[in-house]
Amino acid sequence: MVDLLTTPAAWPAILLERAGAEQPTDLDAATQAGAFDSLRRVIRNFGATGSIAIIGQSGLRGRGGAGYPAADKWRTAATTDAPRRYVVINGYGADPASATDRYLLEHDPFTVVEGAAIAAFAIGASEVFIAVRTEATEAIRSLTAAIGSAEDAGLVGLDVFGSGHDIRVTVRPVQGAYMLGEETVLLKALEGKRGQPEQRPPHPAERGLFGMPTVVQNVQTIAAVPWIIRNGAEAFATIGLADAPGTILIQLRTAAGDGIAEVPLGTPLREIVGLGATLPMGRSLKAILVGGPSGGILPAELLETPYAFEPLRAVGAHIGSGSVIVADDRTCIVDLARLLTRFCAGEACGKTIPCRIGTRRLTEIADRVVDGRPRPTDPQLLIDLSEDIVASALCDHERLTTLPLSTGMRYFRSELDDHILRSACPAGVCHPIAVASGAIS
Ligand SMILES: Cc1cc2nc3c(=O)[nH]c(=O)nc-3n(C[C@H](O)[C@H](O)[C@H](O)COP(=O)(O)O)c2cc1C
Ligand code: SF4
């Protein structure tokens, strides 16, 4: 179990507003604290179109990584002619180093269920699937209990709030590798098929689950919805950045421990890193890995970068899984980038040749650099190969897999040159080189 980090009192709690409840699946306690008020207001007061308009005015963007405006998906799904529509909540949590979504599912399942029901009502869907990985047993238990009691109370299920609308919510445990978090793979898994990413367009909002318009939304994105309906689009839009409003969960890891925190979007990385335990005595911060295994490795000089979609992209990182990992001066950036690239290459599904072969070639080059067998042309080869891989991307995984090496080279180039030109590993991590150069005897 990961603990919550202490955050400044001035930071708003949107996603974790009710996550401190002693009994997260106690419906009475949750409804007394406001659970399902927003769903009621949406059905009785705002209507489907009005609700989509509110979400649009709030500026809510997807928290699952890409930052796509939620209301645009809802509008597309609602207006695409089809006999059925679906809402799928992506609670897979692909990154093993980040438990942010799982934390929310375990500690406030009602908010996720309510947000998903609002989305279903807004797009005219009567079926919601919440996909959770099978190992997340506590999240599955919590969700199942919450859905059961909400159904018994008529808050979801048949004829919700006497409106004539059915909104059935089901937990769907799914099991697979890293790629299962990608939305088109997840949809295939829910259909019981072998999962590989699909070319887009059409996007799932037009043609998704069983070929029907489907809104796929991350757990945190959907958990923000009841708060927005309750407090108003304007209140949400004033938190965070103008083009990335609201808050997001991060999981911070340092050598001294880790924890989850809700931070306003746009918070400088320095403040996020400052939420965690200090570095071990005598160590200094060398780099921050932002975005998970396919994230960017950023130097300490970029600590003022706002934690938000575009600012992170501009420096070669991304929000990804919400994971922020602090690396101290004992870290060899070349070795770190190699390990991350190897992980991502191993997770590529194999559908696209430049990704399947190219990411493995990247790993091999990085392997020979840390093994002390580099070629002088390796830096340029890494750059050219990464550009080719990005240019031929079928899904985001391909593009993102190049980030650890490309940011490693961009910000820590001298370390790569030390390995290649001087057969030296400044951190003393890469053994064959370090032994040869006398750094390790
Ligand atoms: C390799 C890969 C893994 C992903 N894993 C997740 C995941 O675990 N959870 C998630 O919500 N989105 C994940 N995504 C993003 C989803 O494809 C999709 O954009 C997201 O679920 C849409 O919801 P949102 O708009 O609310 O962010 C992943 C994407 C890729 C390329
Ligand atoms: S780009 Fe890579 S992960 Fe994506 S579909 Fe192609 S092979 Fe699979």
Side-chain angles (χ1 to χ4, degrees):
M1 168 55 62
V2 190
D3 289 328
L4 285 183
L5 299 167
T6 307
T7 53
W11 286 7
I14 294 176
L15 303 171
L16 297 179
E17 192 181 27
R18 287 203 307 259
E22 256 176 52
Q23 294 292 335
T25 56
D26 179 341
L27 181 62
D28 288 339
T31 48
Q32 273 165 30
F36 293 98
D37 281 353
S38 297
L39 177 60
R40 183 186 294 110
R41 290 179 71 186
V42 156
I43 292 176
R44 301 225 169 118
N45 307 112
F46 302 133
T49 323
S51 311
I52 297 177
I54 293 171
I55 298 304
Q57 285 151 16
S58 77
L60 177 66
R61 295 173 65 179
R63 269 53 177 158
Y68 194 79
D72 289 2
K73 288 189 192 180
W74 294 22
R75 215 169 277 119
T76 303
T79 54
T80 301
D81 200 25
R84 285 190 315 284
R85 297 180 180 78
Y86 295 102
V87 170
V88 169
I89 305 306
N90 189 345
Y92 183 61
D95 178 1
S98 177
T100 50
D101 293 351
R102 193 183 326 163
Y103 188 91
L104 209 46
L105 292 171
E106 287 174 1
H107 290 84
D108 190 5
F110 288 117
T111 295
V112 177
V113 172
E114 185 183 8
I118 292 172
F121 173 77
I123 69 161
S126 54
E127 197 100 53
V128 172
F129 297 110
I130 305 180
V132 186
R133 63 166 65 221
T134 43
E135 302 100 301
T137 48
E138 186 55 29
I140 295 171
R141 196 200 59 74
S142 192
L143 270 175
T144 308
I147 293 166
S149 52
E151 235 168 31
D152 291 346
L155 303 172
V156 294
L158 300 178
D159 191 21
V160 174
F161 286 112
S163 63
H165 283 271
D166 297 344
I167 306 176
R168 282 181 300 276
V169 185
T170 317
V171 187
R172 290 289 296 271
V174 285
Q175 178 66 48
Y178 184 69
M179 287 306 298
L180 193 48
E182 198 276 341
E183 59 185 6
T184 61
V185 181
L186 186 65
L187 293 179
K188 292 258 190 69
L190 292 176
E191 291 175 357
K193 295 181 185 150
R194 178 172 176 233
Q196 280 188 317
E198 285 299 324
Q199 186 85 50
R200 277 156 293 180
H203 292 277
E206 298 156 84
R207 185 135 44 93
L209 192 65
F210 304 115
M212 300 295 150
T214 303
V215 162
V216 182
Q217 216 80 84
N218 167 264
V219 166
Q220 295 178 51
T221 318
I222 214 68
V225 168
W227 192 98
I228 294 169
I229 300 291
R230 200 164 51 251
N231 296 279
E234 236 173 73
F236 187 79
T238 54
I239 296 166
L241 298 181
D243 62 356
T247 58
I248 192 161
L249 300 184
I250 56 98
Q251 181 157 351
L252 178 67
R253 276 173 190 257
T254 70
D258 68 340
I260 288 175
E262 178 170 5
V263 305
L265 278 162
T267 302
L269 280 172
R270 182 185 298 283
E271 289 182 39
I272 293 179
V273 168
L275 296 173
T278 47
L279 288 162
M281 184 91 96
R283 307 271 49 124
S284 58
L285 187 150
K286 180 170 185 180
I288 324 133
L289 171 64
V290 185
S294 60
I297 305 173
L298 306 180
E301 297 80 67
L302 287 177
L303 276 173
E304 297 311 328
T305 308
Y307 189 82
F309 307 103
E310 284 75 21
L312 287 176
R313 259 178 229 151
V315 294
H318 61 117
I319 281 186
S321 61
S323 139
V324 177
I325 298 178
V326 175
D328 66 35
D329 54 324
R330 290 168 293 186
T331 310
C332 168
I333 300 298
V334 183
D335 189 48
L336 174 64
R338 171 185 76 115
L339 291 172
L340 295 167
T341 309
R342 175 186 281 176
F343 173 85
C344 293
E347 296 297 326
C349 77
K351 185 171 183 177
T352 324
I353 291 168
C355 176
R356 187 176 70 219
I357 311 287
T359 55
R360 274 169 179 67
R361 291 291 97 87
L362 284 180
T363 313
E364 286 165 12
I365 298 166
D367 276 346
R368 67 174 178 244
V369 170
V370 303
D371 287 350
R373 300 173 288 109
R375 298 175 192 160
T377 48
D378 278 345
Q380 193 56 45
L381 191 54
L382 284 172
I383 292 169
D384 293 345
L385 192 50
S386 296
E387 281 174 3
D388 288 349
I389 290 171
V390 170
S392 62
L394 187 146
C395 81
D396 271 349
H397 183 64
E398 193 170 12
R399 183 176 61 79
L400 301 176
T401 296
T402 62
L403 290 184
L405 272 171
S406 61
T407 48
M409 288 175 68
R410 182 161 153 195
Y411 299 118
F412 300 91
R413 179 60 191 259
S414 65
E415 233 171 280
L416 181 70
D417 290 343
D418 280 338
H419 283 71
I420 294 179
L421 304 176
R422 285 173 281 286
S423 289
C425 171
V429 169
C430 303
H431 269 240
I433 298 180
V435 170
S437 64
I440 296 177
S441 51

